[in-house]
Amino acid sequence: MIGQPEPACLLIADISGYTGYLAGVELDHAQDILADLVSTVVGSLRPMLRLAKLEGDAAFAYVVTPVIEGSTLQETVEGTYFAFRRRLRDIASASRCECNACIRIPGLDLKFVVHHGDVIRQRIAGREELLGSAVILVHRLLKNDVVERMGIAAYALYTADCVAAMGIEDPTQQGFIEHQVTTDIAGEVTTWIRDLAAAWTDEQARTRVIVEGRDVEWAYAFDSPAARQVTWDYITSRIRRPQWNADAVVEASPTGRRGAGTVNHCMHGKDAIVEEILDYRPYDYLTARSQVPVPGVPKLMHSYVLADRPDGGTHVELRFARPRPRDRTVFDQLFPGIQAMVAHGQELMAPLLAAEAEAARAGDGVEVPAGGGRYATEPITA
């Protein structure tokens, strides 16, 4: 039975350079490396998107939604690329093998094509399949001239339809580059390109700002049953936060994208807590400085720090920085109320995260092969 058309965000993550990589390398190690890298990519995408299928060296994923928050989608894409780059680095440093397959690992890279359009979901032979022109187009867009014309090997290509669904009014303000791609089914398609290698370089270069060690005055810890990406989204998203933290969150950013420099007005009735993000590292930590609506009260600095749990959930720490000596008296008077507000917010968030974890356990039915790590543990001679 064919379903009804539904709006969806469609994403393909493709390991570029793999076809050329296979030429002249040891196939057993090459397949093991591919399985490892694909598993890394899918593991980063899966909490936020549903895996439709694996297509050789590519993963096709989607989420059914009429609109999608631009910051969240870009964090998913860039977070996946960063995880891929870290995995390449770890493989290269751990490998004791000198075969061609292992030596040529650094030549691999990752690119994304992201589109938004109507799809039809249909069960075929017990598996869910996506149908429609949007599905065809997102695959056609993999064949483009971004590398040849722009010289960018690692990129995310977003269609204009996807950018519109993300609510981005001026993509250039967020660092996107406009690019026209000619297709056989849709003619000229306007796309917007993000240079992921440049984003990775910027990520490594930014100064860290985090509350830790002796700077911690008070820390509140809790465990979330949901994956780190989902937990992060509930903590940071202007759409998710009103479900547990505030009546509404008004987000203002110099670029229109959430990150360092974003200022949030968290509305609590008629009052607003003004929160400035100082450092923003999805999905590891964020640090912010907040001003409560009480005259004479100093700004409070805090960090949310997230870490994976062995059971697939997330350990969360909310750390508040030690106040300056001159602010100690006011801080001590104010802080019991802050502590109560934090505990209440976590109580409201807990059932939401539990529901997300329960939904994730249902899975998407696509099996992902795991790499055996033979390239690192069983060296062979080419």
Side-chain angles (χ1 to χ4, degrees), residues 187-220:
E188 289 283 318
V189 177
T190 298
T191 69
W192 293 91
I193 308 299
R194 165 80 71 195
D195 186 336
L196 296 179
W200 167 254
T201 301
D202 291 344
E203 172 76 5
Q204 306 308 301
R206 280 194 293 120
T207 302
R208 287 170 56 90
V209 181
I210 184 171
V211 179
E212 58 186 352
R214 294 182 178 181
D215 293 332
V216 179
E217 169 73 16
W218 179 76
Y220 182 91

Side-chain angles (χ1 to χ4, degrees), residues 330-342:
V330 177
F331 182 91
D332 289 344
Q333 293 173 350
L334 173 73
F335 208 63
I338 298 292
Q339 291 173 314
M341 187 170 65
V342 168

Side-chain angles (χ1 to χ4, degrees), residues 40 46 109 133 140 173 179 196 207 217 229 231 233 248 282 354:
T40 297
R46 223 170 200 167
D109 220 323
S133 59
R140 291 286 201 276
Q173 194 177 30
H179 182 65
L196 296 179
T207 302
E217 169 73 16
Q229 293 92 326
T231 305
D233 199 41

Side-chain angles (χ1 to χ4, degrees), residues 1 9 48 81 90 111 202 218 268 312 324 331 357:
M1 183 176 185
C9 179
M48 307 304 290
Y81 182 72
D90 293 346
K111 63 178 183 282
D202 291 344
W218 179 76
H268 298 269
R324 294 174 297 183
F331 182 91

Side-chain angles (χ1 to χ4, degrees), residues 11-14 37-49 59 61 72-88 110-112 196 200 229 282-283:
L11 177 149
I12 299 178
D14 179 69
L37 293 176
V38 168
S39 178
T40 297
V41 169
V42 171
S44 295
L45 291 174
R46 223 170 200 167
M48 307 304 290
L49 295 99
T72 298
L73 180 57
Q74 291 181 73
E75 286 168 13
T76 299
V77 170
E78 291 172 21
T80 301
Y81 182 72
F82 296 166
F84 176 85
R85 287 293 298 264
R86 292 187 190 103
R87 189 61 188 147
L88 281 183
L110 188 65
K111 63 178 183 282
F112 297 80
L196 296 179
W200 167 254
Q229 293 92 326
Y283 303 97

